[in-house]
PDB file of all heavy atoms in Angstrom:
ATOM      1  N   LYS A 666     155.660  51.812  52.159  1.00  0.00           N
ATOM      2  CA  LYS A 666     156.612  50.844  52.522  1.00  0.00           C
ATOM      3  C   LYS A 666     157.299  50.203  51.270  1.00  0.00           C
ATOM      4  O   LYS A 666     156.579  49.768  50.273  1.00  0.00           O
ATOM      5  CB  LYS A 666     156.019  49.615  53.243  1.00  0.00           C
ATOM      6  CG  LYS A 666     155.551  50.009  54.688  1.00  0.00           C
ATOM      7  CD  LYS A 666     155.006  48.800  55.406  1.00  0.00           C
ATOM      8  CE  LYS A 666     154.479  49.219  56.763  1.00  0.00           C
ATOM      9  NZ  LYS A 666     153.924  48.078  57.501  1.00  0.00           N
ATOM     10  N   ASN A 667     158.604  50.272  51.189  1.00  0.00           N
ATOM     11  CA  ASN A 667     159.351  49.856  50.099  1.00  0.00           C
ATOM     12  C   ASN A 667     158.921  50.370  48.698  1.00  0.00           C
ATOM     13  O   ASN A 667     158.412  49.548  47.829  1.00  0.00           O
ATOM     14  CB  ASN A 667     159.327  48.286  50.039  1.00  0.00           C
ATOM     15  CG  ASN A 667     160.456  47.583  49.195  1.00  0.00           C
ATOM     16  OD1 ASN A 667     161.500  48.257  49.012  1.00  0.00           O
ATOM     17  ND2 ASN A 667     160.234  46.432  48.659  1.00  0.00           N
ATOM     18  N   PRO A 668     158.896  51.710  48.535  1.00  0.00           N
ATOM     19  CA  PRO A 668     158.359  52.359  47.379  1.00  0.00           C
ATOM     20  C   PRO A 668     158.928  51.790  46.035  1.00  0.00           C
ATOM     21  O   PRO A 668     160.081  51.523  45.956  1.00  0.00           O
ATOM     22  CB  PRO A 668     158.801  53.792  47.592  1.00  0.00           C
ATOM     23  CG  PRO A 668     159.123  54.020  49.009  1.00  0.00           C
ATOM     24  CD  PRO A 668     159.616  52.696  49.435  1.00  0.00           C
ATOM     25  N   LYS A 669     158.046  51.582  45.161  1.00  0.00           N
ATOM     26  CA  LYS A 669     158.482  51.106  43.819  1.00  0.00           C
ATOM     27  C   LYS A 669     158.930  52.320  42.908  1.00  0.00           C
ATOM     28  O   LYS A 669     158.292  53.318  42.771  1.00  0.00           O
ATOM     29  CB  LYS A 669     157.217  50.484  43.009  1.00  0.00           C
ATOM     30  CG  LYS A 669     156.807  49.216  43.691  1.00  0.00           C
ATOM     31  CD  LYS A 669     155.745  48.450  42.934  1.00  0.00           C
ATOM     32  CE  LYS A 669     154.478  49.287  42.987  1.00  0.00           C
ATOM     33  NZ  LYS A 669     153.342  48.481  42.261  1.00  0.00           N
ATOM     34  N   ILE A 670     160.087  52.196  42.429  1.00  0.00           N
ATOM     35  CA  ILE A 670     160.795  53.231  41.632  1.00  0.00           C
ATOM     36  C   ILE A 670     160.791  52.835  40.134  1.00  0.00           C
ATOM     37  O   ILE A 670     161.168  51.695  39.762  1.00  0.00           O
ATOM     38  CB  ILE A 670     162.278  53.342  42.092  1.00  0.00           C
ATOM     39  CG1 ILE A 670     162.393  53.436  43.625  1.00  0.00           C
ATOM     40  CG2 ILE A 670     162.887  54.631  41.359  1.00  0.00           C
ATOM     41  CD1 ILE A 670     161.655  54.601  44.168  1.00  0.00           C
ATOM     42  N   GLY A 671     160.331  53.706  39.222  1.00  0.00           N
ATOM     43  CA  GLY A 671     160.300  53.512  37.884  1.00  0.00           C
ATOM     44  C   GLY A 671     161.048  54.591  37.123  1.00  0.00           C
ATOM     45  O   GLY A 671     160.990  55.808  37.578  1.00  0.00           O
ATOM     46  N   LEU A 672     161.660  54.232  36.114  1.00  0.00           N
ATOM     47  CA  LEU A 672     162.377  55.227  35.176  1.00  0.00           C
ATOM     48  C   LEU A 672     161.509  55.521  33.959  1.00  0.00           C
ATOM     49  O   LEU A 672     161.221  54.591  33.225  1.00  0.00           O
ATOM     50  CB  LEU A 672     163.843  54.547  34.795  1.00  0.00           C
ATOM     51  CG  LEU A 672     164.614  55.423  33.771  1.00  0.00           C
ATOM     52  CD1 LEU A 672     165.103  56.725  34.540  1.00  0.00           C
ATOM     53  CD2 LEU A 672     165.882  54.638  33.295  1.00  0.00           C
ATOM     54  N   ALA A 673     161.207  56.815  33.902  1.00  0.00           N
ATOM     55  CA  ALA A 673     160.367  57.194  32.747  1.00  0.00           C
ATOM     56  C   ALA A 673     161.083  56.962  31.507  1.00  0.00           C
ATOM     57  O   ALA A 673     162.182  57.495  31.256  1.00  0.00           O
ATOM     58  CB  ALA A 673     159.869  58.656  32.892  1.00  0.00           C
ATOM     59  N   ASN A 674     160.483  56.210  30.432  1.00  0.00           N
ATOM     60  CA  ASN A 674     161.192  55.880  29.207  1.00  0.00           C
ATOM     61  C   ASN A 674     160.120  55.683  28.161  1.00  0.00           C
ATOM     62  O   ASN A 674     158.964  55.676  28.399  1.00  0.00           O
ATOM     63  CB  ASN A 674     162.034  54.717  29.502  1.00  0.00           C
ATOM     64  CG  ASN A 674     163.286  54.684  28.543  1.00  0.00           C
ATOM     65  OD1 ASN A 674     163.174  55.298  27.447  1.00  0.00           O
ATOM     66  ND2 ASN A 674     164.301  54.014  28.917  1.00  0.00           N
ATOM     67  N   VAL A 675     160.563  55.492  27.028  1.00  0.00           N
ATOM     68  CA  VAL A 675     159.688  55.214  25.850  1.00  0.00           C
ATOM     69  C   VAL A 675     159.286  53.855  25.699  1.00  0.00           C
ATOM     70  O   VAL A 675     158.513  53.422  24.737  1.00  0.00           O
ATOM     71  CB  VAL A 675     160.311  55.727  24.455  1.00  0.00           C
ATOM     72  CG1 VAL A 675     160.554  57.249  24.588  1.00  0.00           C
ATOM     73  CG2 VAL A 675     161.666  55.072  24.321  1.00  0.00           C
ATOM     74  N   GLY A 676     159.766  52.921  26.507  1.00  0.00           N
ATOM     75  CA  GLY A 676     159.351  51.442  26.435  1.00  0.00           C
ATOM     76  C   GLY A 676     159.868  50.825  27.757  1.00  0.00           C
ATOM     77  O   GLY A 676     160.620  51.296  28.485  1.00  0.00           O
ATOM     78  N   ALA A 677     159.278  49.683  27.932  1.00  0.00           N
ATOM     79  CA  ALA A 677     159.573  48.942  29.173  1.00  0.00           C
ATOM     80  C   ALA A 677     160.929  48.188  29.096  1.00  0.00           C
ATOM     81  O   ALA A 677     161.515  47.965  30.236  1.00  0.00           O
ATOM     82  CB  ALA A 677     158.431  47.966  29.503  1.00  0.00           C
ATOM     83  N   GLU A 678     161.359  47.873  27.943  1.00  0.00           N
ATOM     84  CA  GLU A 678     162.584  47.069  27.808  1.00  0.00           C
ATOM     85  C   GLU A 678     163.823  47.895  28.254  1.00  0.00           C
ATOM     86  O   GLU A 678     163.884  49.130  28.100  1.00  0.00           O
ATOM     87  CB  GLU A 678     162.805  46.706  26.353  1.00  0.00           C
ATOM     88  CG  GLU A 678     161.646  45.792  25.820  1.00  0.00           C
ATOM     89  CD  GLU A 678     160.476  46.592  25.196  1.00  0.00           C
ATOM     90  OE1 GLU A 678     160.518  47.788  25.393  1.00  0.00           O
ATOM     91  OE2 GLU A 678     159.621  46.026  24.602  1.00  0.00           O
ATOM     92  N   SER A 679     164.834  47.215  28.785  1.00  0.00           N
ATOM     93  CA  SER A 679     166.032  47.807  29.368  1.00  0.00           C
ATOM     94  C   SER A 679     166.848  48.437  28.219  1.00  0.00           C
ATOM     95  O   SER A 679     167.714  49.292  28.486  1.00  0.00           O
ATOM     96  CB  SER A 679     166.880  46.795  30.159  1.00  0.00           C
ATOM     97  OG  SER A 679     167.282  45.731  29.220  1.00  0.00           O
ATOM     98  N   SER A 680     166.588  47.950  26.958  1.00  0.00           N
ATOM     99  CA  SER A 680     167.433  48.587  25.901  1.00  0.00           C
ATOM    100  C   SER A 680     166.776  49.798  25.315  1.00  0.00           C
ATOM    101  O   SER A 680     167.367  50.479  24.391  1.00  0.00           O
ATOM    102  CB  SER A 680     167.412  47.477  24.793  1.00  0.00           C
ATOM    103  OG  SER A 680     166.168  47.104  24.337  1.00  0.00           O
ATOM    104  N   LYS A 681     165.697  50.268  25.859  1.00  0.00           N
ATOM    105  CA  LYS A 681     165.021  51.421  25.262  1.00  0.00           C
ATOM    106  C   LYS A 681     165.655  52.737  25.778  1.00  0.00           C
ATOM    107  O   LYS A 681     166.389  52.767  26.864  1.00  0.00           O
ATOM    108  CB  LYS A 681     163.572  51.423  25.689  1.00  0.00           C
ATOM    109  CG  LYS A 681     162.667  50.379  25.011  1.00  0.00           C
ATOM    110  CD  LYS A 681     162.374  50.644  23.567  1.00  0.00           C
ATOM    111  CE  LYS A 681     161.477  49.597  23.030  1.00  0.00           C
ATOM    112  NZ  LYS A 681     161.115  49.915  21.668  1.00  0.00           N
ATOM    113  N   GLY A 682     165.380  53.803  25.061  1.00  0.00           N
ATOM    114  CA  GLY A 682     165.808  55.152  25.497  1.00  0.00           C
ATOM    115  C   GLY A 682     167.214  55.585  24.911  1.00  0.00           C
ATOM    116  O   GLY A 682     167.898  54.941  24.121  1.00  0.00           O
ATOM    117  N   THR A 683     167.646  56.703  25.446  1.00  0.00           N
ATOM    118  CA  THR A 683     168.931  57.294  25.045  1.00  0.00           C
ATOM    119  C   THR A 683     170.064  56.492  25.854  1.00  0.00           C
ATOM    120  O   THR A 683     169.824  55.650  26.693  1.00  0.00           O
ATOM    121  CB  THR A 683     169.005  58.719  25.462  1.00  0.00           C
ATOM    122  OG1 THR A 683     168.918  58.926  26.906  1.00  0.00           O
ATOM    123  CG2 THR A 683     167.985  59.464  24.829  1.00  0.00           C
ATOM    124  N   GLU A 684     171.315  56.794  25.493  1.00  0.00           N
ATOM    125  CA  GLU A 684     172.397  56.145  26.120  1.00  0.00           C
ATOM    126  C   GLU A 684     172.413  56.492  27.668  1.00  0.00           C
ATOM    127  O   GLU A 684     172.656  55.640  28.518  1.00  0.00           O
ATOM    128  CB  GLU A 684     173.736  56.566  25.556  1.00  0.00           C
ATOM    129  CG  GLU A 684     174.891  55.734  26.037  1.00  0.00           C
ATOM    130  CD  GLU A 684     174.810  54.309  25.759  1.00  0.00           C
ATOM    131  OE1 GLU A 684     174.232  53.947  24.659  1.00  0.00           O
ATOM    132  OE2 GLU A 684     175.294  53.473  26.609  1.00  0.00           O
ATOM    133  N   ALA A 685     172.029  57.615  28.029  1.00  0.00           N
ATOM    134  CA  ALA A 685     171.807  58.044  29.434  1.00  0.00           C
ATOM    135  C   ALA A 685     170.803  57.273  30.185  1.00  0.00           C
ATOM    136  O   ALA A 685     170.956  56.760  31.250  1.00  0.00           O
ATOM    137  CB  ALA A 685     171.523  59.563  29.576  1.00  0.00           C
ATOM    138  N   HIS A 686     169.736  56.910  29.501  1.00  0.00           N
ATOM    139  CA  HIS A 686     168.609  56.120  30.026  1.00  0.00           C
ATOM    140  C   HIS A 686     169.109  54.662  30.307  1.00  0.00           C
ATOM    141  O   HIS A 686     168.859  54.059  31.328  1.00  0.00           O
ATOM    142  CB  HIS A 686     167.449  56.047  29.160  1.00  0.00           C
ATOM    143  CG  HIS A 686     166.546  57.344  29.282  1.00  0.00           C
ATOM    144  ND1 HIS A 686     166.759  58.278  28.417  1.00  0.00           N
ATOM    145  CD2 HIS A 686     165.505  57.583  30.031  1.00  0.00           C
ATOM    146  CE1 HIS A 686     165.894  59.265  28.650  1.00  0.00           C
ATOM    147  NE2 HIS A 686     165.131  58.877  29.729  1.00  0.00           N
ATOM    148  N   LYS A 687     169.956  54.203  29.279  1.00  0.00           N
ATOM    149  CA  LYS A 687     170.378  52.740  29.458  1.00  0.00           C
ATOM    150  C   LYS A 687     171.405  52.646  30.541  1.00  0.00           C
ATOM    151  O   LYS A 687     171.291  51.656  31.329  1.00  0.00           O
ATOM    152  CB  LYS A 687     171.053  52.325  28.103  1.00  0.00           C
ATOM    153  CG  LYS A 687     170.067  52.283  26.945  1.00  0.00           C
ATOM    154  CD  LYS A 687     170.780  52.024  25.546  1.00  0.00           C
ATOM    155  CE  LYS A 687     169.795  52.139  24.410  1.00  0.00           C
ATOM    156  NZ  LYS A 687     170.573  51.960  23.116  1.00  0.00           N
ATOM    157  N   GLN A 688     172.245  53.662  30.661  1.00  0.00           N
ATOM    158  CA  GLN A 688     173.181  53.647  31.828  1.00  0.00           C
ATOM    159  C   GLN A 688     172.591  53.849  33.208  1.00  0.00           C
ATOM    160  O   GLN A 688     172.912  53.186  34.079  1.00  0.00           O
ATOM    161  CB  GLN A 688     174.349  54.679  31.574  1.00  0.00           C
ATOM    162  CG  GLN A 688     175.186  54.484  30.385  1.00  0.00           C
ATOM    163  CD  GLN A 688     175.942  53.200  30.596  1.00  0.00           C
ATOM    164  OE1 GLN A 688     176.508  52.899  31.631  1.00  0.00           O
ATOM    165  NE2 GLN A 688     176.115  52.395  29.538  1.00  0.00           N
ATOM    166  N   ALA A 689     171.526  54.671  33.138  1.00  0.00           N
ATOM    167  CA  ALA A 689     170.774  54.914  34.438  1.00  0.00           C
ATOM    168  C   ALA A 689     170.025  53.710  34.786  1.00  0.00           C
ATOM    169  O   ALA A 689     170.008  53.302  36.009  1.00  0.00           O
ATOM    170  CB  ALA A 689     169.740  56.086  34.231  1.00  0.00           C
ATOM    171  N   TYR A 690     169.548  52.874  33.889  1.00  0.00           N
ATOM    172  CA  TYR A 690     168.860  51.646  34.196  1.00  0.00           C
ATOM    173  C   TYR A 690     169.766  50.676  34.924  1.00  0.00           C
ATOM    174  O   TYR A 690     169.422  50.066  35.833  1.00  0.00           O
ATOM    175  CB  TYR A 690     168.309  51.071  32.907  1.00  0.00           C
ATOM    176  CG  TYR A 690     167.420  49.807  33.027  1.00  0.00           C
ATOM    177  CD1 TYR A 690     166.060  49.905  32.944  1.00  0.00           C
ATOM    178  CD2 TYR A 690     168.055  48.531  33.296  1.00  0.00           C
ATOM    179  CE1 TYR A 690     165.276  48.752  33.054  1.00  0.00           C
ATOM    180  CE2 TYR A 690     167.226  47.487  33.464  1.00  0.00           C
ATOM    181  CZ  TYR A 690     165.900  47.552  33.379  1.00  0.00           C
ATOM    182  OH  TYR A 690     165.096  46.504  33.546  1.00  0.00           O
ATOM    183  N   ILE A 691     170.972  50.643  34.390  1.00  0.00           N
ATOM    184  CA  ILE A 691     171.973  49.697  34.944  1.00  0.00           C
ATOM    185  C   ILE A 691     172.284  50.167  36.412  1.00  0.00           C
ATOM    186  O   ILE A 691     172.353  49.342  37.388  1.00  0.00           O
ATOM    187  CB  ILE A 691     173.278  49.687  34.135  1.00  0.00           C
ATOM    188  CG1 ILE A 691     173.024  49.059  32.792  1.00  0.00           C
ATOM    189  CG2 ILE A 691     174.377  48.916  34.887  1.00  0.00           C
ATOM    190  CD1 ILE A 691     174.213  49.259  31.828  1.00  0.00           C
ATOM    191  N   LEU A 692     172.450  51.432  36.614  1.00  0.00           N
ATOM    192  CA  LEU A 692     172.774  51.959  37.988  1.00  0.00           C
ATOM    193  C   LEU A 692     171.674  51.760  38.953  1.00  0.00           C
ATOM    194  O   LEU A 692     171.832  51.370  40.104  1.00  0.00           O
ATOM    195  CB  LEU A 692     173.079  53.395  37.942  1.00  0.00           C
ATOM    196  CG  LEU A 692     174.416  53.862  37.182  1.00  0.00           C
ATOM    197  CD1 LEU A 692     174.544  55.316  37.276  1.00  0.00           C
ATOM    198  CD2 LEU A 692     175.552  53.212  37.816  1.00  0.00           C
TER     199      LEU A 692
END
């Protein structure tokens, strides 16, 4: 129920990762 979705990245902060990761985080 209501599955938790996580984005695989090199850190928990929203500023981490490549530009694609940062844009994906926003979406």
Side-chain angles (χ1 to χ4, degrees):
K666 293 182 180 180
N667 199 24
K669 293 186 291 184
I670 313 298
L672 177 64
N674 208 334
V675 295
E678 300 87 349
S679 60
S680 59
K681 292 286 187 177
T683 65
E684 190 60 34
H686 282 90
K687 296 172 187 176
Q688 290 300 316
Y690 187 101
I691 295 171
L692 292 181

